[in-house]
Amino acid sequence: MKRDDRQQAIMDLLVAEGEVELDSLAERFAVSKMTIHRDLDELESEGLLRKIRGGATIQSGTRFESDFRFRERQGATEKTAMAHAALALIEPGMTVMINDGSLAAILGKACTAKRPLTVITNNGAVIDALKAEAGITLLALGGLYSSKFNAYLGKVTEDALSRLRADIAFISTPAVSGTKVYHMDDDVLRSKRAMMDQAQTTCLLVNHARFGKAALHQLADLTEFDHIITDATPASEAKAALDAAGITLTITKSHETHT
């Protein structure tokens, strides 16, 4: 198997399993451990995975988020359920901000059900999905394009947002620890923060497995969001912290609101 094909196969395994072991990869592809080490080094240098002891992962770390191309292939059912719950907060005629991320991309595509709408976004997948849709006024935010996040980021993005207002902003995150919301990339964080500051109502979209996780930069406190949507009840320790703070979650798995 050629190197590029082997590396693609490694990424496919990571998408399916989240984590891989070096020994099992060497055995699977009938190559030396050193060859697998080099493969993992190259993929890590491209920002596609994070090396750990004895293998690699695409699970988020304090300074790592996997590539958009791989995140969009994970958890489609859960993301779709959360997107539909978020869609219920949108009324025709609203101005809606949608941030970067694979979950946000699903929400953006679903917005056609609520037209006419004005959609403000830096999310490349949302821009692609809505640019030809009748009844959608699309304000595509410029900036420095990041293929890792499939989004436009930086000062140009933030300056544009500072001159706009929206009825509601949908913000996603890879990490919530206690009542604090985090992200590992400062440029991404600033665009999310700018959307929050310019919206009348804010909604956080977060997978239940992301509770109890931290990242390098703090974005906000959960109390700053008017709505928090997740796909299932967080683990007991994380849920206890939310209960102690009186934080309300909308949990799509049971279609109920829990406090």
Side-chain angles (χ1 to χ4, degrees), residues 101-244:
S102 56
L103 168 55
I106 293 174
L107 172 60
K109 295 169 186 177
C111 280
T112 54
K114 296 287 186 167
R115 60 185 121 199
L117 283 180
T118 297
V119 177
I120 302 168
T121 187
N122 64 335
N123 190 318
V126 177
I127 293 169
D128 287 343
L130 298 183
K131 63 187 178 184
E133 290 288 342
I136 301 291
T137 300
L138 178 64
L139 285 173
L141 298 167
L144 182 63
Y145 179 72
S146 166
S147 59
K148 180 180 179 69
F149 294 101
N150 193 19
Y152 295 88
L153 305 167
K155 189 176 187 305
V156 172
T157 311
E158 296 155 29
D159 287 349
L161 283 166
S162 71
R163 296 189 291 271
L164 299 168
R165 289 288 292 172
D167 295 296
I168 188 167
F170 292 96
I171 307 298
S172 54
T173 184
V176 177
S177 180
T179 65
K180 304 299 182 184
V181 182
Y182 293 89
H183 201 280
M184 59 285 297
D185 188 281
D186 190 44
D187 284 334
V188 175
L189 180 145
R190 289 198 305 270
S191 69
K192 292 178 187 290
R193 185 73 239 183
M195 288 188 179
M196 291 176 62
D197 292 343
Q198 299 305 112
Q200 182 176 340
T201 301
T202 56
C203 176
L204 182 69
L205 304 168
V206 53
N207 184 285
H208 77 281
R210 302 301 182 104
F211 287 91
K213 309 289 185 182
L216 185 61
H217 302 287
Q218 183 179 314
L219 168 64
D221 193 275
L222 288 175
T223 58
E224 296 181 63
F225 294 94
D226 300 288
H227 307 276
I228 304 169
I229 297 174
T230 189
D231 61 312
T233 303
S236 56
E237 185 175 342
K239 184 64 165 59
L242 301 177
D243 291 343

Side-chain angles (χ1 to χ4, degrees), residues 34-76:
M34 186 55 65
T35 296
I36 295 298
H37 266 302
R38 285 194 293 267
D39 286 338
L40 297 181
D41 284 342
E42 289 181 20
L43 291 168
E44 184 177 49
S45 71
E46 296 173 24
L48 298 178
L49 55 76
R50 176 166 57 96
K51 289 185 73 176
I52 57 176
R53 179 180 290 275
T57 182
I58 56 171
Q59 301 303 321
S60 298
T62 57
R63 299 187 63 183
F64 174 80
E65 177 67 299
S66 61
D67 191 282
F68 178 89
R69 291 169 293 173
F70 302 107
R71 283 182 283 126
E72 70 177 343
R73 295 167 56 187
Q74 296 178 298

